[in-house]
């Protein structure tokens, strides 16, 4: 079996790839949360929220691919298997069945807020270990913060 060699020292690679793997799980799970809400949202704001959920799903899936490829480039195979995501994913998710538009928004705000908080911790952790990975995580954080803001504005005023 051949392996991809990393350009990073082992200790830096470990830090970077742990941050990438945890981010991959969050992004894959976030895409599933978004799709679940997308399929089941109901209420007067159905259409706008239905479409906005797809924006989050697309962003999460695209970023998941980039994160996984970064891990592979560093010599660590990414693990996006369903059982891995199911075991490690802990972001908020919608209830089973139909989801009221305001509840879908609340779930997405909370899930995105938690994802961003975790990303900020990983940004700090990768600062010295791998600035390239850190830069990737910063870009993801910026987009997820924007998505969180857009959902949060949906339920104003509270």
């Amino acid at each position: 079996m051949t392996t991809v060699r990393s350009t990073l020292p082992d200790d830096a690679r470990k830090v970077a790839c742990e941050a990438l793997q945890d981010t991959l799980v969050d992004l894959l799970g976030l895409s599933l949360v978004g799709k679940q809400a997308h399929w089941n949202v109901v209420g007067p704001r159905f259409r706008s929220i239905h479409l906005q959920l797809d924006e989050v799903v697309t962003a999460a899936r695209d970023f998941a691919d980039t994160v996984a490829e970064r891990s592979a480039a560093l010599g660590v195979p990414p693990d996006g298997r369903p059982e891995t995501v199911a075991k490690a994913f802990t972001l908020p998710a919608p209830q089973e069945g139909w989801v009221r538009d305001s509840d879908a928004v609340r779930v997405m705000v909370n899930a995105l807020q938690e994802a961003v908080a975790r990303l900020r911790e990983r940004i700090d952790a990768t600062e010295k270990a791998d600035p390239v990975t850190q830069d990737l995580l910063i870009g993801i954080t910026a987009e997820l913060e924007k998505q969180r803001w857009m959902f949060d504005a949906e339920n104003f005023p509270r």
Side-chain angles (χ1 to χ4, degrees):
M1 177 171 114
T2 61
T3 59
V4 177
R5 288 194 224 188
S6 177
T7 57
L8 294 177
D10 287 344
D11 56 339
R13 182 179 72 161
K14 182 179 186 314
V15 169
C17 289
E18 282 178 6
L20 290 166
Q21 179 60 41
D22 292 344
T23 302
L24 179 61
V25 167
D26 281 353
L27 290 169
L28 291 172
L30 188 60
S31 75
L32 294 172
V33 166
K35 267 304 180 186
Q36 182 67 23
H38 169 88
W39 295 323
N40 292 290
V41 67
V42 294
R45 295 178 297 156
F46 163 80
R47 181 157 173 76
S48 64
I49 293 171
H50 181 79
L51 295 173
Q52 190 175 349
L53 287 162
D54 261 348
E55 290 179 22
V56 172
V57 170
T58 297
R61 288 178 178 170
D62 289 347
F63 284 136
D65 189 53
T66 302
V67 164
E69 289 175 353
R70 177 71 185 150
S71 184
L74 293 177
V76 175
D79 189 355
R81 295 172 301 152
E83 59 269 25
T84 301
V85 176
K87 180 179 171 186
F89 184 74
T90 60
L91 293 176
Q95 65 189 27
E96 182 180 343
W98 304 120
V99 180
R100 183 87 185 148
D101 51 6
S102 57
D103 292 335
V105 167
R106 181 185 43 75
V107 165
M108 292 309 298
V109 167
N110 291 339
L112 288 162
Q113 178 122 4
E114 284 192 38
V116 164
R118 293 176 192 185
L119 277 161
R120 288 187 170 280
E121 290 172 5
R122 295 173 197 141
I123 288 167
D124 289 344
T126 56
E127 180 179 12
K128 286 190 172 54
D130 183 19
V132 175
T133 295
Q134 183 193 44
D135 184 59
L136 173 61
L137 299 177
I138 289 169
I140 294 168
T141 301
E143 178 60 26
L144 295 186
E145 283 180 332
K146 181 179 102 175
Q147 291 292 336
R148 186 210 159 278
W149 157 62
M150 295 175 98
F151 275 107
D152 201 28
E154 285 282 348
N155 276 345
F156 185 83
R158 291 184 177 86

